[in-house]
Amino acid sequence: MYRQHIGSAPGRFRVEVRTVGASEVLTPVGELDHHTAALLRAPLDRALDEGRSRLVLDCSRLDFCDSTGLNVLLGARLRADAAGGGVHLAGMPPAVARVFEITGADAVFTVHESLEAALPD
């Protein structure tokens, strides 16, 4: 079920948000960087504030992620872990996965090949 759409200028960046079972699924679309990170931080914070601590990011439509985007995700991971949940990353394109590998961030997230694999049965 589609729940929410948050975005900026057309084509720049947006986040699709929906709840699937016990998971809050966020699909960032476009480039996650210094200029757009707040658009992802807001729904992550909202989900955590509302008690949804199992966060799944469907990264399949993410074109780019810089250090600011990584910091947003790391902050959400800390909050989710503290609440007994976690942040799961799914379907990362090779260029985005490479950023996580280079920085070592892939070691602190649960990474799945696809969205389907990230969602519990």
Side-chain angles (χ1 to χ4, degrees):
M1 166 179 249
Y2 181 76
R3 199 172 75 88
Q4 187 176 12
H5 173 86
I6 300 167
S8 61
R12 176 89 170 112
F13 186 80
R14 70 178 189 272
V15 181
E16 297 169 3
V17 183
R18 61 193 168 111
T19 302
V20 178
S23 301
E24 189 78 350
V25 177
L26 299 97
T27 305
V29 180
E31 296 183 1
L32 177 57
D33 59 25
H34 173 74
H35 301 287
T36 61
L39 293 172
L40 180 58
R41 182 181 295 113
L44 287 168
D45 286 346
R46 187 170 23 265
L48 291 162
D49 290 346
E50 293 173 359
R52 291 185 303 280
S53 62
R54 188 176 198 288
L55 306 174
V56 177
L57 274 86
D58 176 4
C59 300
S60 63
R61 297 171 61 195
L62 190 59
D63 297 325
F64 175 79
C65 181
D66 73 359
S67 61
T68 307
L70 282 174
N71 284 330
V72 167
L73 294 174
L74 289 167
R77 185 191 71 84
L78 289 173
R79 285 191 63 199
D81 285 354
V87 174
H88 299 258
L89 305 178
M92 284 196 290
V96 174
R98 182 72 178 134
V99 172
F100 281 76
E101 290 168 16
I102 289 169
T103 61
D106 61 335
V108 299
F109 290 99
T110 304
V111 180
H112 304 271
E113 289 294 318
S114 67
L115 177 59
E116 294 74 25
L119 295 173
D121 294 330

